[in-house]
Amino acid sequence: MKIAEASRRFDLSADTLRYYERVGLIPTVNRTASGIREYSEEDCRWIGFIKCMRAAGLPIEVLIEYVSLFQKGDETTEARKALLVGQRDLLEARMVDMQGTLGRLNQKIERYEQLVVPAENDLK
Amino acid sequence: MKIAEASRRFDLSADTLRYYERVGLIPTVNRTASGIREYSEEDCRWIGFIKCMRAAGLPIEVLIEYVSLFQKGDETTEARKALLVGQRDLLEARMVDMQGTLGRLNQKIERYEQLVVPAENDLK
DNA sequence: CTATCACCTGGACCTGACTCCAAGTCAAGT
DNA sequence: ACTTGACTTGGAGTCAGGTCCAGGTGATAG
């Protein structure tokens, strides 16, 4: 699959896919004889994984570190696991925070409803 | 309360507090005769609110819009409510996404555990 | 055989959200 | 009177994370 199709499939611009590869967010993609990127299914799994992690807010730097560990082979499994555990814990913490914000937002919205509904009743 | 104390209280740098005021993320803070900011309790409530919303990822632009509507008075309550509802829905959507990512992360971590535990047993 | 089209590279540019700095003012302590 | 320290402003700089562009190459259609 060439870059245009990968771009459609993951809804990421071709520029972004090239950028991800350039900075090491996904492993190097193989090329055809004339230098065109040919995305394999494994490449696609990486893209999917990275897109998902980025959407949840994991920093690029950390993901680059993960890919780099991955490419160093089996001696790095412990380090990779530790990295994932760390990021999971951060993610959970952020979700707790967001839950709090959500509650606060809902309270504020309720207070607006108590203001707006009586105003609407006045019109009747 | 002067800027240094507000800074300590909210764990935001003085520069950030001035920046927030400058761009309209919090309403204008009153000054002493010699031009020093004097944060009132209401100012503090704004700062707390904004800090909470920013931590959950609401964009500055949207929050500026909210403050601006607030300052236009009672005719804008509907618009303010709509803004909050919109942001709440976005927040909920992001949390659903993050929940998915969390699951994926946990699966990956589990697979690392199945690799690492047998390796540890070998050492016995 | 040439025009088109998708692709390539390197590097400049952009946005969001701060962060830092120089130069100046003011109040309080010695 | 002078030094110190917290404050002020305007403007430049920084960082993450892309995004855009000019100039070039290679395959394919007419």
Side-chain angles (χ1 to χ4, degrees), chain A residues 20-28 46 49-50 59-81 83-84, chain B residues 108 112:
Chain A
Y20 278 4
E21 184 180 350
R22 182 155 46 81
V23 301
L25 249 183
I26 56 173
T28 310
W46 273 108
F49 172 66
I50 291 298
I60 279 195
E61 240 202 321
V62 170
L63 296 169
I64 289 173
E65 172 72 5
Y66 181 78
V67 173
S68 145
L69 286 171
F70 189 89
Q71 291 179 320
K72 285 186 192 143
D74 291 346
E75 299 117 69
T76 66
T77 49
E78 292 265 22
R80 277 182 264 159
K81 186 190 150 194
L83 183 153
L84 294 182
Chain B
K108 243 185 162 45
Y112 276 108

Side-chain angles (χ1 to χ4, degrees), chain B residues 5-65:
Chain B
E5 196 183 337
S7 167
R8 276 191 298 281
R9 175 160 164 189
F10 291 101
D11 195 28
L12 291 172
S13 77
D15 268 321
T16 298
L17 288 174
R18 281 188 286 254
Y19 165 72
Y20 279 2
E21 184 180 350
R22 182 156 46 83
V23 299
L25 250 183
I26 56 173
T28 310
V29 175
N30 284 330
R31 310 301 186 92
T32 66
S34 57
I36 306 285
R37 286 175 182 79
E38 183 61 39
Y39 290 87
S40 69
E41 270 316 300
E42 195 186 337
D43 293 329
C44 287
R45 280 193 298 279
W46 273 107
I47 296 170
F49 172 66
I50 291 298
K51 188 184 175 184
C52 176
M53 296 300 133
R54 286 291 304 126
L58 277 73
I60 279 194
E61 240 201 320
V62 170
L63 295 170
I64 289 172
E65 173 71 6

Side-chain angles (χ1 to χ4, degrees), chain A residues 1-59:
Chain A
M1 165 190 334
K2 296 197 211 137
I3 203 163
E5 196 183 337
S7 167
R8 277 191 299 280
R9 176 160 164 190
F10 292 101
D11 196 29
L12 291 172
S13 77
D15 269 321
T16 298
L17 288 173
R18 282 188 286 256
Y19 165 72
Y20 278 4
E21 184 180 350
R22 182 155 46 81
V23 301
L25 249 183
I26 56 173
T28 310
V29 174
N30 284 331
R31 308 301 186 92
T32 66
S34 57
I36 307 283
R37 287 176 182 78
E38 183 60 40
Y39 291 86
S40 70
E41 271 314 302
E42 195 186 338
D43 293 329
C44 286
R45 281 194 296 279
W46 273 108
I47 296 170
F49 172 66
I50 291 298
K51 188 186 175 183
C52 176
M53 296 301 132
R54 286 291 303 128
L58 275 72

